[in-house]
Amino acid sequence: MSFPRPRLATLWLALATAGAALVAPSAAVASPLGPVGTDSPDDDGSPGAAASSSDGVSSSPDGTTTPDGIGSPDGIGAPDAGALPEGSTDASSEATTDDGTTATEVYPRPADGTWEIEGHGWGHGIGMSQWGAQGAALQGVSSTDILSFYYPGTRQADIGNPVVRIRLLALAGRTSVTAWAPSGQTLRATAGGTNLGAPAGGRLTVTRTSTGFRLEHRTTPGGSVGWSTTTTAPVTLATNDGVVVGASPTGGGTWYRGEAAVQPTSGTLEVVNHVRMEDYLRSVVPREAPASWHYSALEAQSVAARTYARHEMRTGGIYDLCDTTSCQVYAGRGSVSASGALTGHEHARTDIAIASTNGRILEGRTTAGGAWGPAFTQFSSSNGGYSVAGSRPYLMARADPWSGTAPGDPVTSWSTTLRATDVDARCAAGGTVRSLVVTARDGRGDLGGRITGLRLDCTTGPVDVTTEFTRRLGMRSSWWRPVPEEYPSVFFLNDAWTAWANHEVRLGAATSSPLAGDWDGDGTDTVGVRDGNRLTLARDHSGATTTTLDYGRAGDVLLTGDWDGDAGDSFAVRRGNTYLLRDALTSGVADTVLDYGRAADEVFVGDWDGDGVDTLAVRRGNRFFVSNSLVSGWADAELDYGRAGDTVLVGDWDGDGVDTFAVRRGNTYLVRNELTSGDADIELAFGRASDSVVVGDWDGDGEDTLGVHRVEAW
């Protein structure tokens, strides 16, 4: 059966309560179960297995039955019910804590290969939110107050108009660049303060050599070299109105205000634009904020950008900043095509905002009580509604009342998709991702806040994702999660007697009942769900591939067991005290019919004698009546365990081939390894008291352990 999937939910594997531990009761300290004794009468006074009461734990003495459904139209399943097409089902659950630091979220690889993502913010979220500044400005907040909010504890200062050095990354690592003069200007090439005498007009190509640079002048783009010279010193290219620099002798370039310094590196060159701060900002501000925005937002951006640049200015090295989002976006005065057409990168409105804040920066203290200096005014497109703490006292984590208030804001909240194949590339060679595991969040804002711990569970082993940028997985920020499902249904399966689950399986709908069994006889149990008389069985722990069949009626009590000793589990239904057993994992009529116990008894299935065949037991109060054969008749063994109100589980807890009992009280499990009355051998807290429980050998090691099934509405 395939269930609609509103898509992708969080789930919580941090299932244990605080302090949960394994306990092996000693002789000096009795377990909470007992001792329960072997001679206490059950609640109806029956004396025991050897002398059962007349209605006993048996059917009529000759074992005959009067089944009501063998071959009837409900048929214990239609004989040709078919199988579920390949594909996964729905479900998951989510539980992040208020502070976001302790919960673990697991997002298995979707059957369709795509997670649907909801998220907040764009960028690192430290300092000023640009969209938040616009929202504030539209509400009448001044640029001074905007800056005071995003950089609390700073003060204003004036730096004049110093030269800033910008590394042009698009030209980095090349062996040659070409420069020419803007219209009406004359290009000057100098080295070590000496004019090299390049002819006017045309284009000048600077090429890295083993000892320095070679300069070649061409009158026309791509024409023959008419003049050349060499120098061992760095080359400076300038006019009275900036310089155009490009990668190709024949293509277009970028017009930069100021000068272009060509510096040698190891076998290549670097081009660094030396430009006055206010001219630099004329390209930066309209790249970082739309020029159509409110002037207060543009003024705040101007001061933040100027301050950031001043903070990064150095006395050594060959450059201060780069020209990309790794520093601040800087595109020069404009782009020039090969034919000479200009596309400007500056704007009159941002020029006004820059001029109105001329020379103004913010100063802050690196540490509380420390010296004042240019502030580290980091900013991002949107903090999503909650800023991130940075490396300075004035870079605080705090709720932002303005982010998300500006009309047209597309990045405070957003949705997108994440393809599993894109994440596969982060696994070891040849690996594919099985699940995304969020191990920690910062606890600030919606969804539990930004991801601060992320692991990829890959087929080739786990991969820790260790930086804020990489934890974005290509999305706008690290504040995201797969979209929760409306009615998640999820199994958490534990391979060992610990408080943490090893597997998560999404399967079924909110109204589905949980199942577990070894459906294919391979020694490993998997889960399933029941909806009416339709059974959907997972083939592995991904839940991506399932088998379906119909069996019995919707109102029947359903049992799972290996009725014929072939190592594969199949189903039975109970009607009153009559049991209708099917040996094959298919729809069809029952292979075995028997009566056992009373209609009011609780019934359990297990291999009580280790012969490989499951049989029945019933409980009355805290007394169990166990049969070792699939025939109507008397019980073979009787024992007491636990309390009458306990939930009872059956499993081979120690791998000896014999099933025994455990009881559950809330989310605590008390396990007995002998099919006798006595103290618990294992005590464990696991899951929540509201969970349903399944038992199985989830890893094929011969020992049964616990799993829980959880359904939550969002």
Side-chain angles (χ1 to χ4, degrees):
M1 179 179 293
S2 178
F3 299 96
R5 300 178 62 187
R7 297 282 318 156
L8 300 174
T10 335
L11 67 95
W12 187 30
L13 292 184
L15 292 169
T17 57
L22 294 175
V23 177
S26 67
V29 181
S31 81
L33 279 177
V36 293
T38 57
D39 57 358
S40 57
D42 76 318
D43 53 3
D44 66 357
S46 62
S52 182
S53 58
S54 58
D55 61 350
V57 186
S58 66
S59 66
S60 55
D62 64 356
T64 58
T65 60
T66 54
D68 65 349
I70 308 308
S72 62
D74 77 320
I76 314 301
D80 187 14
L84 178 67
E86 299 283 335
S88 72
T89 60
D90 67 352
S92 236
S93 68
E94 184 268 348
T96 52
T97 60
D98 289 341
D99 63 4
T101 58
T102 60
T104 298
E105 308 159 35
V106 179
Y107 304 92
R109 187 187 189 101
D112 63 2
T114 302
W115 287 280
E116 293 177 5
I117 304 297
E118 60 181 340
H120 297 291
W122 191 358
H124 50 61
I126 302 173
M128 186 173 69
S129 168
Q130 293 165 306
W131 273 99
Q134 170 69 349
L138 292 172
Q139 296 176 50
V141 181
S142 70
S143 61
T144 299
D145 288 342
I146 291 171
L147 292 166
S148 295
F149 174 80
Y150 287 115
Y151 308 106
T154 59
R155 69 184 186 185
Q156 294 189 9
D158 193 297
I159 60 167
N161 193 17
V163 172
V164 61
R165 302 169 299 170
I166 312 301
R167 183 189 184 199
L168 307 180
L169 286 176
L171 301 176
R174 301 186 60 81
T175 57
S176 69
V177 294
T178 297
W180 61 99
S183 177
Q185 299 296 314
T186 299
L187 183 67
R188 299 184 301 273
T190 60
T194 301
N195 192 323
L196 298 177
R203 295 191 176 195
L204 186 66
T205 298
V206 182
T207 302
R208 184 78 162 91
T209 68
S210 60
T211 58
F213 296 100
R214 179 177 180 82
L215 285 70
E216 297 177 334
H217 181 269
R218 294 173 174 83
T219 303
T220 59
S224 60
V225 176
W227 172 91
S228 67
T229 191
T230 60
T231 179
T232 58
V235 176
T236 298
L237 306 169
T239 75
N240 292 334
D241 194 18
V243 60
V244 182
V245 184
S248 166
T250 59
T254 301
W255 183 1
Y256 294 99
R257 295 181 183 274
E259 302 174 343
V262 184
Q263 301 278 357
T265 59
S266 179
T268 61
L269 56 78
E270 294 274 7
V271 182
V272 179
N273 182 201
H274 293 211
V275 59
R276 290 286 178 181
M277 179 71 78
E278 300 306 300
D279 286 338
Y280 163 70
L281 294 176
R282 293 177 69 181
S283 175
V284 168
V285 176
R287 302 279 76 72
E288 292 287 1
S292 61
W293 276 9
H294 194 285
Y295 275 115
S296 290
L298 298 179
E299 289 171 355
Q301 183 65 59
S302 300
V303 175
R306 184 184 293 111
T307 306
Y308 180 86
R310 180 63 186 88
H311 180 275
E312 297 299 294
M313 289 174 62
R314 298 174 182 15
T315 56
I318 63 172
Y319 63 86
D320 302 311
L321 289 156
C322 64
D323 58 351
T324 70
T325 54
S326 296
C327 303
Q328 293 186 125
V329 179
Y330 171 66
R333 183 171 180 173
S335 297
V336 181
S337 70
S339 64
L342 174 66
T343 302
H345 295 159
E346 300 171 352
H347 196 282
R349 294 189 85 253
T350 49
D351 283 351
I352 293 171
I354 294 164
S356 68
T357 62
N358 183 46
R360 191 193 314 165
I361 67 165
L362 300 178
E363 289 185 331
R365 299 180 189 270
T366 301
T367 59
W372 291 91
F376 187 31
T377 49
Q378 291 178 279
F379 52 84
S380 60
S381 178
S382 173
N383 60 28
Y386 215 112
S387 61
V388 175
S391 58
R392 305 291 192 272
Y394 47 81
L395 298 175
M396 300 173 61
R398 62 195 306 188
D400 184 346
W402 298 321
S403 286
T405 65
D409 178 353
V411 292
T412 294
S413 296
W414 45 265
S415 61
T416 187
T417 57
L418 176 61
R419 296 184 303 177
T421 52
D422 291 337
V423 184
D424 290 342
R426 300 172 186 264
C427 297
T432 57
V433 65
R434 288 172 171 159
S435 58
L436 311 176
V437 183
V438 177
T439 58
R441 292 183 181 271
D442 66 13
R444 299 185 177 99
D446 188 29
L447 313 181
R450 290 173 174 83
I451 296 171
T452 56
L454 178 64
R455 184 180 74 246
L456 309 180
D457 279 350
C458 300
T459 56
T460 48
V463 175
D464 288 323
V465 186
T466 57
T467 69
E468 189 280 333
F469 184 79
T470 55
R471 285 192 290 268
R472 301 178 193 181
L473 296 186
M475 290 173 283
R476 288 170 169 167
S477 76
S478 57
W479 191 351
W480 58 268
R481 74 171 180 188
V483 177
E485 303 202 21
E486 184 178 2
Y487 297 108
S489 168
V490 61
F491 292 85
F492 301 91
L493 311 178
N494 195 337
D495 289 340
W497 291 102
T498 64
W500 295 87
N502 302 99
H503 311 283
E504 173 274 335
V505 187
R506 296 177 298 162
L507 191 67
T511 54
S512 300
S513 300
L515 306 170
D518 184 357
W519 315 124
D520 55 6
D522 67 351
T524 299
D525 290 320
T526 54
V527 296
V529 292
R530 179 190 186 194
D531 298 277
N533 75 329
R534 170 60 58 93
L535 311 177
T536 304
L537 314 177
R539 298 185 185 178
D540 57 28
H541 294 326
S542 73
T545 305
T546 56
T547 297
T548 57
L549 66 147
D550 295 336
Y551 195 68
R553 305 169 182 167
D556 290 335
V557 175
L558 187 72
L559 308 173
T560 302
D562 180 3
W563 314 118
D564 57 2
D566 67 353
D569 287 328
S570 52
F571 294 101
V573 295
R574 174 194 185 192
R575 297 170 184 167
N577 74 327
T578 298
Y579 300 84
L580 308 164
L581 284 58
R582 175 79 174 159
D583 290 335
L585 197 66
T586 59
S587 302
V589 298
D591 296 290
T592 302
V593 181
L594 69 146
D595 288 349
Y596 192 66
R598 307 168 182 168
D601 292 336
E602 288 184 85
V603 64
F604 305 97
V605 174
D607 182 359
W608 315 117
D609 56 3
D611 67 352
V613 177
D614 287 327
T615 52
L616 304 176
V618 296
R619 179 174 76 152
R620 297 169 187 165
N622 75 329
R623 178 161 295 179
F624 297 84
F625 299 89
V626 177
S627 176
N628 289 326
S629 60
L630 289 172
V631 296
S632 302
W634 300 92
D636 295 292
E638 177 185 339
L639 69 145
D640 294 341
Y641 193 64
R643 305 168 183 165
D646 291 334
T647 299
V648 175
L649 309 172
V650 174
D652 181 0
W653 314 116
D654 57 3
D656 66 353
V658 176
D659 288 327
T660 55
F661 295 107
V663 297
R664 175 193 185 195
R665 296 170 184 167
N667 74 328
T668 299
Y669 299 83
L670 304 155
V671 178
R672 175 78 174 158
N673 285 326
E674 300 290 335
L675 198 62
T676 59
S677 302
D679 291 350
D681 297 293
I682 296 173
E683 177 182 343
L684 174 74
F686 189 67
R688 305 171 182 170
S690 58
D691 294 332
S692 300
V693 184
V694 288
V695 171
D697 180 0
W698 314 119
D699 58 359
D701 67 351
E703 296 182 8
D704 287 329
T705 48
L706 300 176
V708 297
H709 175 245
R710 183 173 299 163
V711 176
E712 293 183 1
W714 291 89

